[in-house]
Amino acid sequence: MPSMQRASLVLAAALVSATAAAQTKDPLASWNDGPAKQAILKFVAEVTSEGAAFVEPAERIAVFDNDGTLWSEQPIYFQLAFALDRVKAMAPKHPEWKTQEPYKTLLAGDVKGALAQGEKAILGIMAATHSGMTTEEFASSVEAWAASAKHPKSGRLYTEMAYQPMLELLRYLRGKGFKTFIVSGGGVEFMRAWAEKTYGIPPEQVVGSSGVTKFELRPNGPVLLKEAKVEFVDDGPGKPVGINRFIGRRPVLAFGNSDGDHQMLQWTAAGSGRRLLGLVHHTDAEREWAYDRQSHIGKLDKALDEALQRDWTVVDMKKDWKRIYPFER
Amino acid sequence: MPSMQRASLVLAAALVSATAAAQTKDPLASWNDGPAKQAILKFVAEVTSEGAAFVEPAERIAVFDNDGTLWSEQPIYFQLAFALDRVKAMAPKHPEWKTQEPYKTLLAGDVKGALAQGEKAILGIMAATHSGMTTEEFASSVEAWAASAKHPKSGRLYTEMAYQPMLELLRYLRGKGFKTFIVSGGGVEFMRAWAEKTYGIPPEQVVGSSGVTKFELRPNGPVLLKEAKVEFVDDGPGKPVGINRFIGRRPVLAFGNSDGDHQMLQWTAAGSGRRLLGLVHHTDAEREWAYDRQSHIGKLDKALDEALQRDWTVVDMKKDWKRIYPFER
């Protein structure tokens, strides 16, 4: 055989094998081959293939809770960690905080003591760090925090604590023509500052809680001012309301992890045709955290009962996930 | 030449010429070759080509007002026409309307007389026809109306009164990687029922005014109930607020037609880099309507002053548009 021809054959064989490898590469490589992974693959195959369960691409809306579903939420919600860090950063401009609670306790380094002052104290911290500035100033403060603040347990950036299996699921769904949305109780402007980079989800596909903003025409141009007034709480029954308001279409897939996602799952399940309803169950005290029915954060009780009864997909973090975070081997 | 070979050459020539025709086909064929069309083509070329003005596809957000910008708004806003039609359709279930104003006058066929009863009467009609039902029931009522109701002047379906030049602009922008949004004072659920079919804009890219909805778990499943309470008015200073809330990114292109769009144009203009700000000026009393500074509907006064001063793109409907509606030759 002439050498040119031989080289061509070798090249062709290499191309065929590379193509085969790409085709067989597991899109959900960090998922163990259990019932959760099988349910996802089966659902996606059914709604994207010709047949009775086919769903038009425009209708392939997939919604995900954020805290505890796409990234961790322990020992405190990451947005609260942001607020506490912001109090420290903003303190030089607030000398009154030296004598005012809960700031005094917090600035003395006693986070637990500050949080123990109750809901009103925490809401005060949230208001102080999330209002009284323009939307652009706020976004900058979140970006700076996300690029530098470290989680107390992992020592990693908070955005590195997104779940690797869920990152794979988001990418896999988008590859199959789904439009992925966040529908979270977290602040919409907080999430938008890092969601695109972390999850590949653009700002216009992030639905969350929000405060009132006000348009103001200043001498050097218009601004939107963030006011200390809650506008919308995207949690519990607020989630289907938020889906209707922001998306205007009923999802075919919904993933959550707590009772705050219960109504979103019910609303998604009630549509006609095939649906996938998923719950991330935090069962891994070693690699992540283990909590459910008794937890103050991410309490999962009634939604778990309905999931078990209706055969929704309950992801057992310990059994179903090979890796939790992208930084693990 | 053997006939097979000749046939191949003819076919190849035909393919080349079809491709060339497709490439040179004017994407804005219903626009006369004036300054407005030139400004649009220049802007799009600049932000989509390598260079200082290049805008990443993810940032190519284009927002459009609806009434008077994408479709007509005379002699009354089309959503109000829907509400008046709904009163007639709903009357058999509301015997009390026979003696109750403004319904009595309206049901007697005197539209002008009913509307002359003032803002409170009109708001009452809007509430009666837009609440007290589920979101799905409401969407069905809009779909049925859009498929059958005829405009009093044109005798056409209301959705046929979308502007052909703007339909071309929407399609052209999407072909260039823009994401097109509606940002309108109209009701978001009213528009979503027909916007995808009419404009190619999916529900999740429609921003509008909204009423409060409430999640309710009924024995046969969950519903969202529309309540008679205004939640958000997406008009004037509400438009930048709505853009921030629903899109979370500053647009690079904004099109409106009235002072209700003024702040949206200011907000868009204040971003860094190249922007396109457009106003549809209703100057064609023959083919459409002519109105601006003195009009009760679609009043265009302050925004026109700023547009002229800052050299925004003012579309002179009479001069700039070859065709107004798709049904014209």
Side-chain angles (χ1 to χ4, degrees):
Chain A
M1 197 181 273
S3 66
M4 271 290 283
Q5 196 178 339
R6 186 190 299 259
S8 296
L9 280 177
V10 170
L11 186 66
L15 280 171
V16 166
S17 111
T19 307
Q23 277 168 353
T24 57
K25 203 191 155 214
D26 186 352
L28 301 178
S30 300
W31 293 70
N32 283 314
D33 196 23
K37 181 174 181 171
Q38 289 311 316
I40 292 168
L41 293 172
K42 184 166 178 275
F43 169 79
V44 171
E46 283 180 10
V47 300
T48 59
S49 313
E50 271 185 60
F54 181 76
V55 174
E56 292 290 342
E59 300 282 345
R60 292 182 199 158
I61 303 290
V63 294
F64 293 83
D65 169 59
N66 182 44
D67 297 309
T69 301
L70 295 180
W71 74 355
S72 293
E73 58 183 347
Q74 298 280 7
I76 56 172
Y77 289 122
F78 293 1
Q79 189 174 357
L80 181 55
F82 159 75
L84 300 179
D85 287 343
R86 282 299 294 162
V87 167
K88 284 173 229 162
M90 292 166 75
K93 288 196 175 172
H94 291 270
E96 74 280 11
W97 285 354
K98 279 179 197 160
T99 55
Q100 194 182 321
E101 289 298 351
Y103 307 100
K104 188 185 164 190
T105 301
L106 184 59
L107 292 170
D110 182 5
V111 172
K112 272 193 185 169
L115 296 180
Q117 292 178 30
E119 197 182 355
K120 208 182 151 189
I122 295 173
L123 287 178
I125 290 172
M126 292 300 283
T129 53
H130 286 68
S131 64
M133 64 203 79
T134 70
T135 50
E136 297 199 321
E137 286 163 353
F138 179 73
S140 299
S141 75
V142 179
E143 280 163 29
W145 175 84
S148 61
K150 301 283 169 66
H151 186 275
K153 185 181 162 188
S154 71
R156 298 280 179 159
L157 295 177
Y158 286 91
T159 51
E160 290 182 272
M161 295 179 74
Y163 302 131
Q164 176 64 27
M166 296 306 279
L167 296 177
E168 291 168 9
L169 177 56
L170 290 171
R171 206 175 305 126
Y172 173 58
L173 290 172
R174 288 193 292 259
K176 294 290 184 179
F178 285 78
K179 212 163 173 177
T180 54
F181 288 79
I182 292 174
V183 177
S184 166
V188 67
E189 295 185 286
F190 173 74
M191 295 184 287
R192 282 173 175 163
W194 47 264
E196 189 159 31
K197 214 168 155 184
T198 305
Y199 303 133
I201 298 180
E204 63 269 25
Q205 287 161 225
V206 179
V207 179
S209 298
S210 56
V212 171
T213 61
K214 201 184 147 194
F215 180 82
E216 203 177 284
L217 195 56
R218 291 180 174 178
N220 55 347
V223 295
L224 289 170
L225 278 177
K226 285 174 69 66
E227 299 192 333
K229 205 172 145 189
V230 171
E231 175 186 81
F232 177 55
V233 177
D234 189 47
D235 196 33
K239 290 206 174 191
V241 168
I243 288 169
N244 180 65
R245 184 181 307 178
F246 285 82
I247 307 176
R249 256 202 256 255
R250 196 189 297 254
V252 294
L253 181 155
F255 242 97
N257 78 300
S258 79
D259 282 359
D261 304 312
H262 196 178
Q263 288 87 350
M264 174 170 84
L265 296 174
Q266 290 175 323
W267 177 248
T268 302
S272 60
R274 285 275 287 131
R275 307 274 145 171
L276 184 84
L277 296 315
L279 275 175
V280 173
H281 191 188
H282 294 264
T283 52
D284 196 327
E286 262 181 56
R287 296 185 301 168
E288 210 242 2
W289 284 269
Y291 57 97
D292 49 29
R293 297 184 192 272
Q294 308 299 325
S295 180
H296 288 294
I297 292 177
K299 178 177 174 173
L300 174 63
D301 184 36
K302 289 181 181 167
L304 185 56
D305 288 340
E306 187 163 351
L308 297 171
Q309 188 195 323
R310 298 181 64 180
D311 205 21
W312 292 347
T313 298
V314 180
V315 175
D316 183 326
M317 215 176 216
K318 193 172 181 175
K319 287 188 196 158
D320 285 318
W321 288 358
K322 281 184 199 154
R323 281 207 295 182
I324 306 285
Y325 301 119
F327 55 79
E328 293 168 13
R329 294 284 165 73
Chain B
M1 198 185 274
S3 66
M4 272 290 283
Q5 197 178 340
R6 186 192 299 261
S8 297
L9 279 176
V10 169
L11 185 66
L15 280 171
V16 167
S17 108
T19 308
Q23 277 167 351
T24 56
K25 202 190 156 214
D26 186 353
L28 301 177
S30 299
W31 292 70
N32 284 315
D33 197 22
K37 181 173 180 172
Q38 288 312 316
I40 292 168
L41 292 172
K42 183 165 179 275
F43 169 78
V44 171
E46 282 180 10
V47 300
T48 59
S49 313
E50 270 185 62
F54 182 76
V55 174
E56 291 291 341
E59 299 282 346
R60 292 182 200 159
I61 304 289
V63 294
F64 293 82
D65 169 59
N66 182 45
D67 297 309
T69 300
L70 295 181
W71 74 357
S72 292
E73 58 182 348
Q74 298 280 6
I76 55 172
Y77 289 123
F78 293 1
Q79 189 173 358
L80 181 55
F82 159 76
L84 300 178
D85 287 344
R86 283 299 292 162
V87 168
K88 285 172 228 162
M90 293 165 75
K93 288 195 174 172
H94 291 270
E96 74 280 10
W97 286 353
K98 279 178 196 157
T99 54
Q100 193 182 319
E101 288 298 351
Y103 307 100
K104 187 184 164 188
T105 301
L106 185 59
L107 292 171
D110 182 5
V111 172
K112 271 194 185 169
L115 296 180
Q117 292 178 31
E119 196 181 357
K120 209 181 151 189
I122 295 173
L123 288 177
I125 290 172
M126 293 300 283
T129 54
H130 285 70
S131 64
M133 65 203 79
T134 70
T135 49
E136 298 199 321
E137 286 163 355
F138 178 74
S140 299
S141 75
V142 179
E143 280 163 29
W145 175 84
S148 61
K150 301 283 169 66
H151 186 275
K153 184 180 162 188
S154 71
R156 297 280 180 160
L157 295 178
Y158 286 90
T159 51
E160 289 182 272
M161 294 178 74
Y163 303 131
Q164 176 64 26
M166 297 305 278
L167 296 177
E168 291 168 9
L169 177 57
L170 290 170
R171 206 176 304 124
Y172 173 58
L173 290 172
R174 288 193 292 261
K176 295 290 184 180
F178 285 78
K179 212 163 173 177
T180 53
F181 288 79
I182 292 174
V183 177
S184 166
V188 68
E189 296 186 285
F190 173 74
M191 295 185 286
R192 282 173 173 162
W194 47 265
E196 190 160 31
K197 213 169 155 183
T198 305
Y199 303 133
I201 297 180
E204 63 269 25
Q205 287 162 224
V206 179
V207 179
S209 299
S210 57
V212 171
T213 62
K214 201 184 146 194
F215 180 83
E216 202 177 284
L217 195 56
R218 291 180 174 177
N220 55 347
V223 295
L224 288 170
L225 278 176
K226 285 175 69 67
E227 300 192 332
K229 204 172 144 189
V230 171
E231 177 186 80
F232 176 55
V233 178
D234 189 45
D235 195 34
K239 289 207 175 191
V241 168
I243 288 170
N244 180 64
R245 183 182 305 177
F246 286 82
I247 307 175
R249 257 201 256 257
R250 196 189 297 253
V252 293
L253 181 155
F255 242 97
N257 77 299
S258 80
D259 282 359
D261 305 311
H262 196 177
Q263 288 88 350
M264 173 169 85
L265 295 174
Q266 290 174 324
W267 177 248
T268 302
S272 59
R274 285 275 286 132
R275 308 275 146 171
L276 184 85
L277 296 315
L279 275 174
V280 173
H281 191 188
H282 294 264
T283 52
D284 196 326
E286 263 183 54
R287 296 184 300 169
E288 210 241 3
W289 284 270
Y291 57 97
D292 49 29
R293 297 184 191 271
Q294 307 300 325
S295 179
H296 287 296
I297 291 177
K299 178 178 175 173
L300 174 63
D301 183 34
K302 288 181 183 168
L304 185 57
D305 288 339
E306 187 163 351
L308 297 172
Q309 187 195 324
R310 297 181 64 181
D311 205 21
W312 291 348
T313 297
V314 180
V315 175
D316 183 326
M317 215 176 216
K318 192 171 181 175
K319 287 189 198 157
D320 285 317
W321 287 359
K322 280 184 198 153
R323 280 208 295 182
I324 306 285
Y325 302 118
F327 55 78
E328 293 168 12
R329 294 284 165 74

